[in-house]
Amino acid sequence: MIEDKNPQRTSIAQLGEFGLIDHLTKNFEINQESTLKGIGDDAAVLDFGTRKTVVSTDLLIEGVHFDLAYMPLKHLGYKSVVVNLSDICAMNAKPTQITVSVAVSNRFPLEALEELYEGIARAAKEYKIDVIGGDTTSSQKGMIISITALGEADENEIVYRNGAKATDLLVVTGDIGAAYMGLQVLEREKQVFQVNPNSQPDLDAYTYLIERQLKPEARTDIRSLLHALEIKPTAMIDVSDGISSEIMHLCKQSNVGCNLYEDKLPLDPQFISVCEEFNIDSTTIAINGGEDYELLFTIAMSDFDKIKGNPNFTIIGHMTEPGEGLHLVTRANTKIQLKARGWNALSE
Ligand SMILES: [Mg+2]
């Protein structure tokens, strides 16, 4: 299993708080015009001009949201950023800045924080966002990461959860369920490793699933794809808890019902074969698994021609009058009521 093989252990106390922040953030560059002042003063200064600012915050706690037994710190840093950017994307806005706050117990040496920040820096570079501030402090136990993301958009571009209409089509990007099965594979390997620390796992058959779990990406590309197609979603949310629970949010806030079609769910072949290996129903996992960080949105029926056949998008259902309820229409054409079995990690 993945473990820290770095023999060097520098005590964080040696650097002092300000020395530590300087040390961890010295390589962060400014990429965004809206960042007038990043790290280095009491506060960052941002200028979005006439644009609107969207803000989202996440708190990640060791043992609740992540397990360092199989989550390398670099990946954790990267993923912590991605889950926040995903929420900005879900507003149809462009992510621009983040603040990062970390609390660690003395179980973690400086080298561990360096790895975490390497992942954060990697994500910042990849998504061209600026790290503009944050805090590091000590905790009694474990690691806590809090990230706040900011983004910008014109007022008329912003998409809320409450705009879906009764005849709208329901669309999802990418594929779903893989991140959850990636976690199942990693959990299984962790247990094998606990019994036999010399075991060498062969994870070749699971690479896509594990990547979806350990290194998800935020769909920052969807905003421009939709713009180019001249489509503005009527409502949107990101898939952090599984589409079943996300559909419930959209329906509740838009006051509509929904029919979701089992045969339309976009599933990766590796996901399907690993569900078979684990003897789990792939549809159940696809709609209830979490952490896919795809975007789920509704569009007007009149936009159907613009989106049909586009490999980035799958139409998986349609909205209905609120009285019709929320249903999964199975391959056998039976209707099953959707239930929230949202998965309680890395939510929102
Ligand atoms: Mg969200």
Side-chain angles (χ1 to χ4, degrees):
M1 286 309 287
I2 303 145
E3 56 182 323
D4 187 14
K5 296 190 183 69
N6 193 340
Q8 205 181 336
R9 280 185 65 93
T10 310
S11 152
I12 288 166
Q14 251 172 267
L15 282 152
E17 185 190 341
F18 299 111
L20 176 64
I21 293 172
D22 282 349
H23 179 78
L24 292 173
T25 61
K26 62 176 185 282
N27 293 323
F28 289 131
E29 289 167 2
I30 300 293
N31 296 302
Q32 295 288 333
E33 259 175 45
S34 50
T35 309
L36 299 188
K37 177 76 190 176
I39 295 167
D41 209 307
D42 293 291
V45 182
L46 309 177
D47 180 4
F48 290 98
T50 57
R51 307 261 281 170
K52 301 298 167 207
T53 310
V54 300
V55 184
S56 177
T57 296
D58 256 313
L59 187 61
L60 305 176
I61 296 170
E62 184 182 355
V64 179
H65 303 102
F66 58 89
D67 185 337
L68 291 172
Y70 47 70
M71 185 65 145
L73 284 161
K74 203 189 287 182
H75 285 76
L76 178 62
Y78 191 93
K79 183 171 175 175
S80 307
V81 176
V82 163
V83 304
N84 277 274
L85 301 188
S86 180
D87 278 321
I88 302 295
C89 295
M91 302 303 290
N92 201 32
K94 183 183 87 165
T96 47
Q97 288 90 9
I98 56 168
T99 64
V100 179
S101 296
V102 179
V104 285
S105 69
N106 56 15
R107 176 180 125 226
F108 296 93
L110 175 65
E111 287 73 17
L113 276 181
E114 283 175 344
E115 262 188 70
L116 181 77
Y117 271 74
E118 219 178 290
I120 291 166
R122 176 96 160 260
K125 197 171 177 197
E126 175 72 28
Y127 292 100
K128 297 185 178 63
I129 52 155
D130 298 334
V131 182
I132 54 162
D135 198 8
T136 54
T137 182
S138 57
S139 83
Q140 292 281 359
K141 196 167 164 276
M143 178 181 279
I144 299 163
I145 305 168
S146 173
I147 294 187
T148 295
L150 290 87
E152 60 175 84
D154 284 339
E155 190 170 9
N156 61 10
E157 291 176 312
I158 297 175
V159 177
Y160 299 91
R161 292 178 179 180
N162 63 3
K165 301 281 182 295
T167 56
D168 285 354
L169 300 172
L170 181 67
V171 182
V172 71
T173 62
D175 59 77
I176 51 174
Y180 181 86
M181 284 314 291
L183 182 67
Q184 300 315 302
V185 170
L186 290 166
E187 288 277 2
R188 184 178 68 182
E189 294 309 321
K190 179 184 167 186
Q191 275 160 26
V192 170
F193 182 79
Q194 279 167 348
V195 176
N196 177 11
N198 295 318
S199 65
Q200 288 288 333
D202 180 5
L203 298 174
D204 283 356
Y206 313 105
T207 46
Y208 179 67
L209 305 185
I210 291 172
E211 187 171 328
R212 292 285 280 175
Q213 171 58 222
L214 293 185
K215 192 173 175 287
E217 303 291 352
R219 298 305 306 259
T220 50
D221 56 326
I222 296 302
R223 176 179 144 90
S224 51
L225 278 172
L226 289 173
H227 188 78
L229 293 169
E230 297 181 353
I231 293 171
K232 184 190 174 191
T234 50
M236 185 151 63
I237 192 166
D238 71 321
V239 185
S240 48
D241 294 343
I243 60 166
S244 188
S245 112
E246 314 301 1
I247 288 171
M248 298 184 105
H249 286 302
L250 289 181
C251 287
K252 190 175 176 204
Q253 296 201 29
S254 298
N255 191 30
V256 290
C258 180
N259 283 334
L260 171 69
Y261 292 87
E262 183 182 25
D263 64 344
K264 302 288 187 220
L265 296 173
L267 309 178
D268 187 85
Q270 192 174 90
F271 168 75
I272 295 170
S273 70
V274 174
C275 282
E276 281 168 14
E277 183 193 328
F278 277 70
N279 204 14
I280 316 181
D281 177 50
S282 58
T283 299
T284 305
I285 302 303
I287 68 172
N288 296 305
E291 300 198 289
D292 295 308
Y293 301 106
E294 296 294 341
L295 295 175
L296 180 74
F297 57 91
T298 53
I299 58 170
M301 187 93 90
S302 54
D303 284 336
F304 172 72
D305 282 336
K306 298 178 190 168
I307 216 165
K308 73 170 179 201
N310 189 313
N312 296 292
F313 306 108
T314 310
I315 300 167
I316 56 173
H318 60 86
M319 311 322 263
T320 61
E321 294 298 332
E324 293 183 42
L326 284 63
H327 294 98
L328 174 73
V329 182
T330 68
R331 286 192 190 85
N333 207 24
T334 52
K335 275 184 153 187
I336 300 172
Q337 202 181 334
L338 279 184
K339 291 200 180 82
R341 288 168 61 188
W343 193 53
N344 257 342
L346 293 163
S347 59
E348 292 305 292

